[in-house]
Amino acid sequence: IGLVNMAVQCWLDSLKNAKKTALLQDGKRKVHYLFFDGKELAEEYDTKTDALIVRKWRVKNALGAHGPWETEVGETAPCTVAALDPELIKENSSNPLFMRKDTKTSFQWRIRNLPYPKDVYTVSVEPTERSCIVRTTNKKYYKKFSIPDLDRCQLPLDSSALSFAHANNTLIISVS
């Protein structure tokens, strides 16, 4: 427990020491963090509900140039170039779409376009790799993902906190 408290305190200190910029735009509160190690964090919150809508990270590459934004929470921005040029190859819209959308009480992931009934899915925890695994008994879908929030604070990943539901071709996985 002492190591966990140290990790949480270290993360909180890192947030406190980061250079922060905030603004209100389009009904969203946008907060940008610039950490001393060069990493950047951008978060967007709904101003009415205070719910986290988007969290993105960006790190500098070996040459010091900014890398692409990696979305941790929320939907990734759709690629508008493919819509403008019909000759480009684009992903099929019926492919499974994996995204994170947290609630006030749990971390939550949604995987859209999964048409199988709930009893086909198995959701488990791999404690040694600190990751969750989603698989189907018909071997049509497999996904392994981590929970960066737990990793940052070195909190345990417990299988008893894991639950899932299926509705409207969407698998909803929650970790409370």
Side-chain angles (χ1 to χ4, degrees):
I1 296 208
L3 289 175
V4 169
N5 289 337
M6 280 180 39
V8 170
Q9 190 59 48
C10 182
W11 171 242
L12 290 175
D13 290 343
S14 177
L15 281 175
K16 287 178 187 174
N17 294 328
K19 181 180 177 188
K20 297 171 252 336
T21 307
L23 63 99
L24 292 172
Q25 182 182 27
D26 302 327
K28 298 176 188 170
R29 183 174 55 253
K30 298 180 178 187
V31 184
H32 180 266
Y33 300 85
L34 181 58
F35 296 94
F36 288 111
D37 61 1
K39 289 182 183 176
E40 292 180 73
L41 168 63
E43 295 180 324
E44 293 180 12
Y45 296 88
D46 186 299
T47 53
K48 292 179 182 160
T49 64
D50 286 330
L52 177 64
I53 300 169
V54 174
R55 178 182 293 143
K56 300 184 286 189
W57 288 90
R58 181 165 70 173
V59 296
K60 290 184 178 180
N61 66 18
L63 299 175
H66 291 293
W69 286 100
E70 298 287 331
T71 303
E72 183 177 301
V73 176
E75 288 191 64
T76 55
C79 182
T80 55
V81 176
L84 299 174
D85 190 353
E87 293 182 17
L88 288 179
I89 296 174
K90 74 177 195 178
E91 196 174 329
N92 188 332
S93 63
S94 65
N95 280 355
L97 177 64
F98 181 82
M99 66 171 284
R100 180 169 161 191
K101 184 166 176 52
D102 293 349
T103 66
K104 294 237 185 230
T105 58
S106 65
F107 301 117
Q108 194 173 86
W109 292 264
R110 295 169 183 260
I111 309 172
R112 295 185 187 144
N113 298 331
L114 289 179
Y116 316 110
K118 182 181 178 185
D119 60 347
V120 170
Y121 302 99
T122 304
V123 181
S124 59
V125 169
E126 181 61 51
T128 57
E129 296 183 22
R130 297 185 50 77
S131 60
C132 297
I133 299 173
V134 179
R135 58 172 58 102
T136 56
T137 55
N138 61 8
K139 302 194 187 307
K140 298 285 185 183
Y141 187 79
Y142 178 90
K143 179 75 175 177
K144 181 190 283 189
F145 60 95
S146 63
I147 306 173
D149 302 66
L150 294 181
D151 293 341
R152 276 191 287 275
C153 296
Q154 296 180 359
L155 295 172
L157 178 56
D158 187 10
S159 61
S160 64
L162 191 66
S163 64
F164 70 98
H166 187 267
N168 302 319
N169 285 348
T170 302
L171 186 67
I172 302 169
I173 304 156
S174 299
V175 175
S176 301

